[in-house]
């Protein structure tokens, strides 16, 4: 995993138990669609075959057999293959291959609750709220509401509207809540954006009514 616009680290997982000199190896990184990402030819970096979008964006750490991909973008997501060939009686022979799957993460803004109506709140009328968060990646799992009053908390399920920016590929999400105006009791309403098991959730500032 790598954050958007940060450096992604892709490992070859090459043990090099023979302590082979880099000058006897060809190290070759490519994407699953065949794009050449990086090439080290007998110790020298070679740029002739590189896909244009990777030029000046990669660096190889020869000690750790790790490729640094600078300024990671969402279009860089996907599977990468590292192929290592050894100079063997003239024709190079493949001695190691490994694959690496890159996921990009972009932080969503803190969910924000907005009022969708004006004027005074009256008992038994409907209260319309929306919650929105923007600029994140990947697509979130769901957006839920928490309504807490006295010793009770309920979680009404509501539809989440998702849109994706055609250029940046980042997601914006919105959910609407329509409930009866609470009477005679302090009510706290919170909106939660669930990003998935490993990424956790983001909570809005609670709205007190």
């Amino acid at each position: 995993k790598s954050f958007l616009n940060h450096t992604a680290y892709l490992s070859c997982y090459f043990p090099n138990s023979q302590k082979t000199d880099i000058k006897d190896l060809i190290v070759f990184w490519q994407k699953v669609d065949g794009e050449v990402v990086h090439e080290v030819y007998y110790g020298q970096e070679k740029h002739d075959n590189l896909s244009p979008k990777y030029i000046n964006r990669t660096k190889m750490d020869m000690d750790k057999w790790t490729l640094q991909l600078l300024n990671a973008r969402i279009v860089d997501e996907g599977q990468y293959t590292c192929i290592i060939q050894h100079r063997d009686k003239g024709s190079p022979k493949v001695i190691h291959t490994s694959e690496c799957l890159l996921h990009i993460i972009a932080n969503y803004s803190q969910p924000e609750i907005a009022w969708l109506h004006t004027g005074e709140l009256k008992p038994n009328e409907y209260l319309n709220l929306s919650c929105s968060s923007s600029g994140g990646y990947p697509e979130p799992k769901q957006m839920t509401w928490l309504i807490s009053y006295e010793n009770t908390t309920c979680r009404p399920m509501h539809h989440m509207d998702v849109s994706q920016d055609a250029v940046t590929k980042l997601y914006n999400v919105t959910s609407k809540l329509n409930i009866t105006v609470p009477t005679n009791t302090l009510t706290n309403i919170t909106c939660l954006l669930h990003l998935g098991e490993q990424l956790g959730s983001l909570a809005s500032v609670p709205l007190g009514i």
Side-chain angles (χ1 to χ4, degrees):
K1 290 187 172 68
S2 173
F3 281 102
L4 182 68
N5 299 326
H6 285 59
T7 300
Y9 296 88
L10 307 172
S11 180
C12 251
Y13 302 108
F14 180 51
N16 196 18
S17 47
Q18 307 293 318
K19 300 282 185 284
T20 310
D21 193 317
I22 190 75
K23 292 188 176 62
D24 291 323
L25 298 174
I26 297 171
V27 184
F28 187 78
W29 281 91
Q30 67 180 34
K31 229 177 158 187
V32 74
D33 56 11
E35 289 181 309
V36 178
V37 180
H38 195 86
E39 207 173 3
V40 181
Y41 202 78
Y42 300 133
Q44 297 296 314
E45 294 200 340
K46 199 174 164 195
H47 303 284
D48 314 1
N49 304 318
L50 294 192
S51 167
K53 69 181 184 196
Y54 294 108
I55 290 171
N56 297 327
R57 289 185 58 220
T58 56
K59 283 198 297 199
M60 182 88 186
D61 182 336
M62 303 299 184
D63 297 324
K64 295 179 181 167
W65 303 96
T66 298
L67 184 72
Q68 297 176 25
L69 178 57
L70 312 178
N71 193 26
R73 306 165 188 165
I74 288 167
V75 292
D76 294 327
E77 271 202 327
Q79 190 161 296
Y80 291 77
T81 306
C82 168
I83 301 162
I84 298 179
Q85 298 175 318
H86 183 247
R87 198 195 304 252
D88 184 44
K89 300 189 182 80
S91 60
K93 182 173 121 194
V94 174
I95 57 168
H96 179 82
T97 62
S98 66
E99 288 172 347
C100 196
L101 195 58
L102 176 63
H103 295 284
I104 301 296
I105 300 163
N107 287 328
Y108 281 86
S109 63
Q110 182 179 16
E112 203 169 305
I113 297 175
W115 297 82
L116 293 180
H117 72 84
T118 53
E120 199 179 332
L121 288 180
K122 293 179 182 156
N124 299 321
E125 283 190 350
Y126 277 96
L127 171 65
N128 293 310
L129 301 171
S130 81
C131 179
S132 54
S133 173
S134 61
Y137 192 89
E139 187 174 349
K141 300 298 178 206
Q142 62 180 151
M143 190 174 248
T144 58
W145 294 83
L146 288 184
I147 304 170
S148 305
Y149 50 93
E150 293 167 348
N151 294 327
T152 310
T153 299
C154 65
R155 295 170 175 260
M157 290 304 290
H158 280 265
H159 176 69
M160 174 178 74
D161 289 313
V162 180
S163 63
Q164 187 178 24
D165 187 287
V167 178
T168 65
K169 304 296 181 196
L170 298 176
Y171 288 99
N172 300 323
V173 288
T174 306
S175 179
K176 292 187 171 67
L177 179 69
N178 189 320
I179 57 166
T180 311
V181 173
T183 53
N184 303 328
T185 178
L186 174 64
T187 300
N188 274 318
I189 299 174
T190 308
C191 163
L192 293 172
L193 181 64
H194 303 279
L195 303 172
E197 286 176 22
Q198 295 173 319
L199 297 172
S201 301
L202 289 175
S204 68
V205 174
L207 176 69
I209 297 170

